[in-house]
Amino acid sequence: MPQALDTRHRDARRDSRRDARRAGRRHDREIIGLALPAFAALVAEPLFLLADSAIVGHLGTAQLAGLGIAGTFIATAVGVFVFLAYATTAAVARRVGAGDLPAAIRQGMDGIWLALILSAVVVAAVVPAAPALVGLSGASGTAAPYAVTYLRISALGIPAMLVVFAATGVLRGLQDTRTPLYVAVGGFAANAGLNTGLVYGAGLGIAGSAWGTVIAQNAMAAVYVAVVVRGARRHGASLRPDTAGIRACARAGGPLLIRTVCLRAILMVATAVAARLGDVSTAAHQIAFTLWLLLGFGLDAIAIAGQAIIGRYLGAGDPDGARAACRRMVQWGIASGVVLGLLLAAARPLVVPLFTSDPAVHDALMPVLLIVALSQPLMGVVAVLDGVLMGAGEGSYLAWSMLLTLAVFTPAAVAVPALGGGLTALWWALTLMMLTRTATLRWRARSGKWLVTGAVRS
């Protein structure tokens, strides 16, 4: 009898391991299927500014400086509203998991209407204030007119950009990351072609670059809206603005707005501290920061998959599936971080000369990039758990945790120049920021309090 029991126990353990492997492979296919197109779309987005910079750069230094100043304002004005994508993804995915596609699309339409309302306010503020904003930047007398021109025209594309955020969230919530990829690639191609034609062919200069980008952005928004409207008609969802639904979107997005503002504040503090360390440190910090963001795209793609997958599982009333998916995505985040970190560490001697030929900047940058490489597994955990908790509708917790992170990082960063530290010390402070985020996110994930099921997060 004991031998028979042992045999049954071994068989049960073997079956359990086989089931776990099957579940892992299923999660892997799902993560890859959502994350790869999301990664390609994320990489396509910065190409807009790169194309503009390449085209405008041949007009002259003053025009390029004006583009850089105006582009910073536009990126900030738009970037704080990225919650339109995050909150919409989570809300739509929950309803998809609950099997209510009409309600999912209806939720998405509420997000698009909210985007239009918010963008109207932003455009009304930015267009008349363009000269004052450029003045605050300290732009030179030669660059300022170009910056004002670009800012006023490109501000007209803000409604399209916010609609793209919201509509992207709708499609991600519907487990579709391929359509955003196709739209992003098409938008980049249209932007490059229009800018070249309007800047040089039509002789419009920097204004042509701005108009080309605005036209491309509106074309992208039109494609997204057409896709969402077609889905709404197919499933009988209303297209009219719903006041209660729009308010619900705003309430869900408010905490994520706080989270995003805190994150941007952290990055601004880091840049300000680097500037106090001198021109060499500022240049090295900018290069390291650019590479840090580039590596982040790969990890953010897994986070996007997490938003969609976790929301769907919780909407379907499957907390065990959500927990298992979370665990698998964390493994993906760590593994991806290790690979990216090793690649960066090994490629440092090849990468640095691509950005600078200044020996002083080179010497300052090499140890910083090693810190960036070492921090990649941490970034992988942070990105994944950030996406998981967004997908679970944990906006309030994310807001409070980012406020705490800002409170920890700011004095540490400010102390760097005060204590005679250099750029390496500043990047260790940024690593402390990542450790703080890792601790707060892991605590919430392990608590299980985020496993709230249902079509709507109560």
Side-chain angles (χ1 to χ4, degrees):
M1 179 67 72
Q3 185 175 3
L5 286 174
D6 289 343
T7 301
R8 284 198 294 270
H9 287 156
R10 283 197 300 271
D11 291 343
R13 286 196 296 270
R14 185 174 60 251
D15 292 342
S16 177
R17 288 194 295 268
R18 184 168 57 247
D19 291 343
R21 285 195 296 269
R22 288 174 179 170
R25 286 194 293 270
R26 184 176 69 251
H27 288 310
D28 290 345
R29 287 193 297 271
E30 197 168 32
I31 293 166
I32 293 171
L34 290 172
L36 280 181
F39 170 70
L42 287 169
V43 171
E45 290 173 11
L47 294 179
F48 271 89
L49 186 57
L50 285 175
D52 288 359
S53 299
I55 294 168
V56 171
H58 292 287
L59 293 174
T61 301
Q63 288 92 330
L64 184 58
L67 169 66
I69 293 164
T72 299
F73 281 116
I74 290 295
T76 301
V78 172
V80 295
F81 295 109
V82 72
F83 72 84
L84 289 165
Y86 297 156
T88 304
T89 297
V92 171
R94 276 186 175 270
R95 287 161 174 79
V96 168
D100 192 349
L101 284 177
I105 297 173
R106 172 68 264 172
Q107 180 73 37
M109 286 303 306
D110 291 336
I112 291 173
W113 282 113
L114 177 61
L116 289 171
I117 293 169
L118 292 173
S119 62
V121 176
V122 176
V123 172
V126 171
V127 172
L133 291 172
V134 171
L136 288 174
S137 72
S140 67
T142 54
Y146 296 113
V148 171
T149 297
Y150 192 92
L151 182 57
R152 278 181 165 161
I153 296 172
S154 60
L156 301 178
I158 289 176
M161 285 186 273
L162 297 196
V163 167
V164 166
F165 276 162
T168 300
V170 177
L171 295 178
R172 289 174 181 170
L174 294 170
Q175 319 295 297
D176 176 9
T177 55
R178 291 183 179 274
T179 299
L181 168 60
Y182 300 147
V183 176
V185 172
F188 168 70
N191 179 66
L194 285 166
N195 280 10
T196 302
L198 294 175
V199 170
Y200 299 111
L204 296 180
I206 194 169
S209 175
W211 279 118
T213 300
V214 168
I215 293 169
Q217 288 164 343
N218 276 276
M220 291 171 65
V223 172
Y224 273 121
V225 170
V227 171
V228 175
V229 168
R230 186 168 66 244
R233 288 175 174 167
R234 184 185 307 124
H235 297 286
S238 173
L239 298 174
R240 295 180 180 179
D242 176 66
T243 303
I246 293 172
R247 279 201 302 265
C249 287
R251 283 195 301 272
L256 293 178
L257 173 62
I258 295 172
R259 168 207 168 272
T260 303
V261 170
C262 288
L263 181 57
R264 286 189 170 271
I266 287 170
L267 301 181
M268 289 175 64
V269 168
T271 301
V273 170
R276 293 186 61 188
L277 298 175
D279 289 347
V280 169
S281 293
T282 303
H285 175 75
Q286 181 59 35
I287 296 169
F289 181 64
T290 300
L291 291 170
W292 189 65
L293 290 179
L294 180 62
L295 294 175
F297 284 135
L299 303 173
D300 282 344
I302 305 174
I304 288 169
Q307 294 171 30
I309 293 169
I310 295 300
R312 193 192 71 235
Y313 272 117
L314 295 178
D318 185 1
D320 291 336
R323 191 188 292 276
C326 172
R327 186 164 50 248
R328 193 64 172 178
M329 281 184 284
V330 168
Q331 293 170 354
W332 269 88
I334 294 172
S336 300
V338 169
V339 171
L340 291 173
L342 290 173
L343 288 174
L344 179 60
R348 283 183 306 150
L350 301 175
V351 169
V352 172
L354 297 176
F355 291 91
T356 180
S357 58
D358 186 331
V361 176
H362 180 282
D363 292 342
L365 186 57
M366 288 294 281
V368 169
L369 289 186
L370 185 58
I371 297 172
V372 174
L374 290 172
S375 69
Q376 288 307 296
L378 278 178
M379 284 191 66
V381 174
V382 168
V384 168
L385 291 181
D386 208 35
V388 165
L389 295 180
M390 283 183 193
E394 289 281 311
S396 295
Y397 181 81
L398 292 172
W400 282 110
S401 67
M402 279 303 300
L403 285 167
L404 173 62
T405 302
L406 177 61
V408 170
F409 169 75
T410 301
V414 171
V416 168
L419 297 176
L423 188 64
T424 302
L426 174 60
W427 274 87
W428 280 121
L430 282 165
T431 303
L432 172 64
M433 179 270 291
M434 298 301 297
L435 282 168
T436 305
R437 293 195 70 194
T438 301
T440 56
L441 294 173
R442 279 187 63 84
W443 180 85
R444 189 65 170 182
R446 291 172 69 88
S447 74
K449 294 179 180 179
W450 55 280
L451 293 167
V452 180
T453 58
V456 179
R457 172 67 189 257
S458 57

